[in-house]
Amino acid sequence: SKIDSLDALLKQNKQAATAKAKAEYEVLLQQLSMAEKNMNDWMDEFDPDPKFSTSDSLTAYFKAQKTSAERMKVAVFAAIDSAKAKVLQ
């Protein structure tokens, strides 16, 4: 909604500050969208009941999934925190 508001302001007057603010919000929206896409992709690919022939393979799979989930969590929260910081300015 903030991008829409800034877009309406740009139609009224072409101030550089308004264009810059809109571009910043668009970057934040892109970061949030990418974080959401990555999370959804991981969830779609995750197999909670994988079939492996050894317990070592199973352990390795879940360790790799945990690492992926932790990276995804960091990216999601970083995008959210960036967006919150901008909105609350």
Side-chain angles (χ1 to χ4, degrees), residues 29-89:
L29 179 59
Q30 186 177 28
Q31 290 172 345
L32 288 166
S33 295
M34 184 56 76
E36 179 183 29
K37 181 191 177 310
N38 290 340
M39 178 182 63
N40 288 333
D41 288 349
W42 176 82
M43 290 184 338
D44 288 343
E45 294 172 12
F46 177 70
D47 182 1
D49 190 22
K51 306 293 186 243
F52 287 101
S53 58
T54 67
S55 63
D56 288 342
S57 298
L58 186 64
T59 300
Y61 171 77
F62 281 115
K63 282 183 179 181
Q65 291 303 306
K66 181 180 179 186
T67 299
S68 293
E70 287 172 349
R71 276 194 308 258
M72 176 195 49
K73 176 185 169 186
V74 168
V76 167
F77 283 109
I80 290 170
D81 290 344
S82 293
K84 279 183 183 178
K86 179 66 179 172
V87 171
L88 297 176
Q89 281 183 340

